Amino acid sequence: MSPAGALRILIADDEPDLRRSLERSFMLEGHEVVAVADGRAAIDRASTERFDIALLDVALGSSPDGYEVCRTLRSRRNFVPIIMLTALDSEADTVLGLEAGADDYVAKPVGLAELRSRIRAVLRRAGPRTLGEEVLSFGPLTLDRQQHELRLDGRPVRLTFAQFQVLDALISAPGRLFSREELLRAIWGDSAYRDPRAIDVHIRHLREKIEERPEEPSLIVTVRGAGYRLGPS
C-alpha cells in the first residue's frame, strides 16, 4: 500500500542520469514514478493512466519535444498539472512553455528541494478550498472552488491549474486592481524566481476562453503599467 500523500509522478527526460536520479529520489519518498525517455511514450502513458503531476523536459532529443507533449495533452483535455524542466532559461522559452499549457517551469540544473517545493505549490493550490465561499460568480462566470470548475453562461470551461488560480484571485475581489506580482503569489504562494510577465500569458489564455471578443476584453481589464482587474473598463 502506498503511504499517505504518495503521488503518481510522470517524468519525461532523455538525460538518463537525471531521469534515474529523479526517479530514485521520488521513489525513496514513497511516490510511484513512471519515467520515460521520449515524448511519444509520455503522451501514451499520460493518455491512458492517471498521474498527479507530470515533469516534462523541454528538449527530449526527438519529436515530439516537451512543448508538443504539453500541447497534445491539453488538446485531448488532459489537465494533469505539468511542470516543464528546461535548460533554456530565456523569457521566450518560458513563454513557449506557458503557451503550450504548462503550469510552471524549473530551469536546469534542477535542485530537488526546489522541485519538491514547486510540486507542493501546484498540488496545494490545485486542491479543494476549505475556507471562504466555495462558489463565486461575476456576470456570466461561475467559479466552483470545491469542484475546481468554471462555467460560462452555464457551460463548463476547462482551465489549467494556473488559469484557474488567476481567475480565482480576480473573481474573489471584482474591481480590485491586482499587480502581476500579486497574481503570481495567488498561484504559487510566492513570486520568487518567477517572471511576472508569465501572468500576461495566463491572462491572454483566459480571455480566449471567457471573452466574447478577446481582443477587446470586457471581463478581465488591463490597467496599463499596473496590472489587471475583473470588471468593466
Side-chain angles (χ1 to χ4, degrees):
M1 173 180 284
S2 299
L7 305 174
R8 288 202 84 230
I9 302 173
L10 174 64
I11 298 172
D13 199 301
D14 68 342
E15 297 181 39
D17 290 342
L18 177 59
R19 187 174 65 250
R20 284 193 289 266
S21 175
L22 291 176
E23 181 180 19
R24 181 169 57 251
S25 296
F26 286 124
M27 290 182 69
L28 286 173
E29 294 174 357
H31 304 299
E32 183 180 349
V33 180
V34 172
V36 298
D38 63 82
R40 177 51 54 194
I43 292 171
D44 291 344
R45 299 299 292 262
S47 297
T48 57
E49 302 176 41
R50 185 196 66 79
F51 292 96
D52 296 296
I53 197 156
L55 310 177
L56 301 181
D57 183 28
V58 168
L60 286 171
S62 61
S63 183
D65 63 11
Y67 297 136
E68 186 59 31
V69 172
C70 193
R71 281 191 290 266
T72 299
L73 294 179
R74 296 309 189 220
S75 71
R76 295 179 180 181
R77 307 185 71 78
N78 184 323
F79 292 94
V80 58
I82 292 174
I83 296 176
M84 304 291 282
L85 308 179
T86 175
L88 310 171
D89 197 23
S90 72
E91 177 191 346
D93 294 309
T94 296
V95 169
L96 278 173
L98 297 174
E99 290 277 13
D103 296 297
D104 199 4
Y105 56 92
V106 178
K108 292 181 178 180
V110 58
L112 194 58
E114 180 184 359
L115 188 53
R116 289 194 195 99
S117 176
R118 297 292 186 98
I119 291 172
R120 285 195 299 269
V122 169
L123 298 179
R124 181 177 65 249
R125 296 281 170 168
R129 302 295 186 92
T130 57
L131 297 174
E133 295 181 75
E134 296 302 323
V135 179
L136 302 174
S137 298
F138 181 87
L141 305 174
T142 301
L143 185 141
D144 188 325
R145 288 169 161 173
Q146 186 69 32
Q147 300 299 320
H148 213 261
E149 178 182 77
L150 172 69
R151 289 186 175 271
L152 175 66
D153 288 325
R155 302 186 306 276
V157 178
R158 298 299 296 267
L159 302 179
T160 66
F161 156 76
Q163 292 164 13
F164 188 94
Q165 298 305 135
V166 168
L167 186 58
D168 187 320
L170 294 171
I171 203 171
S172 68
R176 178 191 161 187
L177 175 64
F178 286 84
S179 68
R180 291 175 175 84
E181 288 75 14
E182 287 178 308
L183 292 174
L184 281 173
R185 288 194 292 272
I187 301 174
W188 308 114
D190 64 68
S191 59
Y193 310 113
R194 296 181 173 90
D195 188 342
R197 286 166 292 192
I199 290 297
D200 300 337
V201 179
H202 297 311
I203 291 290
R204 184 164 70 254
H205 286 171
L206 271 172
R207 284 172 169 164
E208 291 169 353
K209 293 180 177 182
I210 69 174
E211 298 276 7
E212 185 174 349
R213 300 184 65 186
E215 69 280 4
E216 297 180 8
S218 60
L219 292 172
I220 301 178
V221 177
T222 301
V223 179
R224 189 171 299 277
Y228 299 96
R229 70 167 184 259
L230 193 66
S233 58

